[in-house]
Amino acid sequence: MVAPPTVLIIDLGTSGPKVSVFDFELRLIASAFREVPLVFDGERGVEQRPSDWILGIEAAIDAIACDHRDALARVKVMNVTSQWSGTVALSRSGEPLMNAINWMDSRGAPDAARLTDGLIKVDGYGLIPTLQWIRITGGAPTRSGKDPISHILFLKRERPAIYEKTSVFLEPKDYLNFHLTGRAAASFDSITLHWLTDNREIGNIRYSTELISKSGIDPEKLPELVPVNSILGTVRAEVASRFGIPADAVVVSGTPDLHSGAVGSGGVRDFDPHLYIGTSAWIICHVPFKKADLFHNIASIPSGIPGRYLMVNEQQTAGASLQFLKNRILFPANGVSRERAPEDAYSRMDALAETVPAGSEGLYYFPWLNGERSPSDASHLRGGFVNLSLRHEQKHLIRAVMEGVALNLRWLKEHTESFCGRDFESIRFIGGGARSSVWGRILADTLGIPIEQMKDPLTANSKGAAALALVATGEMSMEEIGSRIEVARVFEPGADQAVYERKFGAYLDYLKRNESWFREQNAGS
């Protein structure tokens, strides 16, 4: 009996790459993750080394090969999903000219401000030029400078030698595809945050010569465009040999993590929302229209499903807040005790949080460690604990972080529902945060709707990418995907809703009272 073929997925998150192998029924065969560091350049610069990505992927492949070499030998199709809104400057010989600029990098803020400046301003945006961007793309360069268009203009302004030597600027996903196939191309979904494509016809997306000219970016430095979820090419022979996969395996065009997560949550129908908590967080769903809410940084853009739009937004730091608490406060490597975080640190933190009553005994946490992106594009905001007293302990800090992220998501939920023109009846929960039952209950009580914890929530992005790969190769229909994604548990809103309703009011009041203070303190951010 011939063994069935498999799908190989690379999921490049901010914390590092995860490589997974699935069968054609979307059952996970094997998975391995390798962590890679962030590189900070001053207050606003955030980078990663592309070589770390490649080495991490190869190490993950080697780990899988230890027990599942046969599954790798049966790979028929590969797909990449990755962190979005990053920039890799590639030389003419195909090598990165510098570190990749990460999605949290805001050094291009002055350039974004110039592109969206005007005499008549609304919330800092020049009304007339911004409406021109929205008319064509469905959105506009965010004034935080965290979009690729701003990354590229920052390099043109501050690193002209690198800009001139660059043959093509690629998103992280598209750089990995270049490594796999040798083809430097972007898909209609991954190119969106360059804000240089005409997205008015979902079936005919193309570069806008008007916007490229307005941006000042040289058009020859932009990648070739390919359709969403299309076959990009065959894996390069040297990559196939290194990975231990067949030389005729095909590579799909791939998709950003927001897009693959939407599919991997099972929410493939319009207005089926899902909530993701990883390094960042979002509440998104597919929608049947092109629309933008500039003032809350929410827009519908080309989706990972051909011919569809996806409502997108992003809360800047969510799971990153819990990671910050673990690594910088509870178990700092250079701390007094030098105690290393245990392998089960998050499950221990979860258990401690469960012992604290709703409301964290008056302690508040604001998760704006790197500013905010949605529902307020405010890079000047900063996070922290407020109303801290002598009675508070570690357990209160942990629960307050979970509650603070949930309250911020409540703020985001109100604006996403307004965008969609309807209230959500329930929401699917995926990402690393979805492993936490206490966080699921906090979210149900804070958002006031049932939270559906999806089975294997950490694999949602990879599973979504695998499903899309099978659709691209004709092995699965889009309609089948929803039935293959299972709900593990549902958290219903309970008696603590009233506590979080009061806390949410105080949360927004704190923001309103202190936003100008944060702006003054972090004027250069």
Side-chain angles (χ1 to χ4, degrees):
M1 182 178 178
V2 178
T6 58
V7 185
L8 179 64
I9 302 299
I10 298 172
D11 176 7
L12 177 64
T14 304
S15 56
K18 178 168 64 176
V19 177
S20 303
V21 181
F22 292 86
D23 67 16
F24 278 23
E25 298 298 320
L26 296 183
R27 291 186 293 253
L28 181 66
I29 297 171
S31 182
F33 168 79
R34 290 296 180 268
E35 189 170 358
V36 299
L38 290 169
V39 178
F40 296 95
D41 184 355
E43 173 70 15
R44 300 164 71 176
V46 187
E47 302 175 349
Q48 285 186 314
R49 289 178 284 267
S51 59
D52 286 346
W53 297 342
I54 302 302
L55 291 172
I57 290 167
E58 291 177 346
I61 289 279
D62 291 342
I64 290 173
C66 288
D67 296 316
H68 299 279
R69 193 176 299 275
D70 63 320
L72 291 172
R74 291 183 276 117
V75 169
K76 180 178 179 180
V77 56
M78 294 182 63
N79 204 5
V80 175
T81 182
S82 83
Q83 54 176 285
W84 197 22
S85 195
T87 302
V88 180
L90 215 60
S91 71
R92 287 174 177 80
S93 61
E95 296 297 325
L97 290 164
M98 59 174 287
N99 289 341
I101 300 179
N102 183 265
W103 57 272
M104 293 184 281
D105 191 297
S106 61
R107 288 174 290 183
D111 305 287
R114 174 180 58 81
L115 291 176
T116 57
D117 197 16
L119 293 176
I120 304 171
K121 289 185 171 61
V122 180
D123 201 27
Y125 288 85
L127 183 61
I128 293 174
T130 302
L131 287 176
Q132 291 173 334
W133 290 98
I134 292 174
R135 176 178 59 85
I136 297 172
T137 70
T142 56
R143 292 179 66 83
S144 63
K146 295 174 181 177
D147 298 332
I149 186 173
S150 301
H151 298 165
I152 295 169
L153 291 173
F154 158 73
L155 293 177
K156 186 177 182 180
R157 171 171 52 86
E158 293 291 334
R159 310 279 174 85
I162 288 177
Y163 179 85
E164 289 301 324
K165 291 178 182 177
T166 298
S167 171
V168 64
F169 292 103
L170 296 175
E171 276 273 356
K173 180 269 290 184
D174 299 319
Y175 168 70
L176 293 185
N177 276 342
F178 173 77
H179 177 76
L180 295 174
T181 67
R183 187 175 179 185
S187 49
F188 297 160
D189 48 358
S190 67
I191 198 66
T192 304
L193 295 186
H194 286 66
W195 302 117
L196 296 174
T197 48
D198 188 333
N199 301 327
R200 287 174 288 188
E201 298 177 48
I202 194 66
N204 184 31
I205 293 172
R206 58 203 181 278
Y207 282 120
S208 165
T209 54
E210 176 185 344
L211 294 182
I212 291 174
S213 175
K214 184 176 179 179
S215 74
I217 294 173
D218 294 286
E220 65 270 16
K221 296 183 184 294
L222 297 172
E224 169 195 5
L225 294 183
V226 298
V228 166
N229 210 42
S230 57
I231 302 299
L232 189 65
T234 304
V235 67
R236 293 190 299 125
E238 53 266 46
V239 173
S241 176
R242 175 65 183 82
F243 286 7
I245 64 175
D248 61 351
V250 297
V251 179
V252 179
S253 56
T255 195
D257 51 8
L258 273 75
H259 302 62
S260 62
V263 174
S265 75
V268 294
R269 299 178 305 176
D270 286 339
F271 304 114
D272 278 352
H274 81 269
L275 158 64
Y276 168 87
I277 294 182
T279 300
S280 59
W282 58 71
I283 299 174
I284 63 180
C285 62
H286 294 94
V287 294
F289 48 70
K290 172 180 166 290
K291 181 180 175 181
D293 178 356
L294 178 66
F295 307 120
H296 300 105
N297 209 19
I298 303 172
S300 58
I301 59 174
S303 132
I305 299 175
R308 303 276 295 282
Y309 287 104
L310 184 70
M311 175 198 71
V312 299
N313 52 70
E314 187 162 35
Q315 179 175 309
Q316 191 82 333
T317 46
S321 290
L322 207 60
Q323 184 182 48
F324 182 92
L325 180 65
K326 174 175 74 78
N327 294 338
R328 302 288 185 90
I329 299 176
L330 301 182
F331 302 101
N334 59 349
V336 174
S337 68
R338 299 186 183 277
E339 182 183 355
R340 292 180 61 85
E343 291 292 325
D344 62 346
Y346 287 117
S347 61
R348 292 190 190 188
M349 292 165 72
D350 218 43
L352 281 173
E354 200 150 19
T355 67
V356 178
S360 300
E361 296 191 41
L363 182 60
Y364 285 78
Y365 172 75
F366 299 90
W368 310 313
L369 299 183
N370 195 48
E372 191 50 277
R373 197 154 184 162
S374 297
S376 176
D377 186 19
S379 61
H380 59 275
L381 290 178
R382 290 295 179 269
F385 293 98
V386 173
N387 211 31
L388 186 66
S389 75
L390 288 172
R391 73 177 182 276
H392 290 129
E393 305 174 40
Q394 280 186 356
K395 61 184 181 181
H396 296 94
L397 300 181
I398 298 166
R399 184 168 185 116
V401 166
M402 292 179 170
E403 291 182 344
V405 170
L407 291 167
N408 215 64
L409 284 164
R410 162 75 182 273
W411 181 31
L412 180 57
K413 172 179 170 284
E414 292 188 350
H415 293 290
T416 56
E417 288 177 329
S418 176
F419 185 96
C420 291
R422 63 189 65 201
D423 293 337
F424 299 142
E425 296 180 358
S426 63
I427 192 163
R428 299 162 187 252
F429 188 21
I430 62 171
R435 292 178 299 176
S436 169
S437 295
V438 65
W439 219 341
R441 287 192 293 273
I442 289 170
L443 285 163
D445 288 330
T446 305
L447 303 187
I449 57 174
I451 302 295
E452 298 178 347
Q453 182 188 50
M454 305 308 293
K455 185 178 179 181
D456 302 322
L458 270 176
T459 68
N461 287 356
S462 298
K463 190 174 290 186
L468 288 170
L470 293 175
V471 171
T473 54
E475 302 290 344
M476 182 180 292
S477 69
M478 196 63 66
E479 292 72 26
E480 288 180 85
I481 295 175
S483 63
R484 304 284 179 93
I485 313 294
E486 301 176 42
V487 175
R489 184 177 179 183
V490 179
F491 299 100
E492 298 284 350
D496 291 331
Q497 285 185 83
V499 174
Y500 293 118
E501 188 67 32
R502 290 192 300 272
K503 202 162 187 178
F504 181 62
Y507 191 90
L508 292 184
D509 183 61
Y510 175 87
L511 173 63
K512 182 178 178 181
R513 290 172 182 268
N514 293 283
E515 186 166 12
S516 61
W517 184 86
F518 280 118
R519 195 181 299 276
E520 291 170 5
Q521 296 297 314
N522 304 301
S525 300

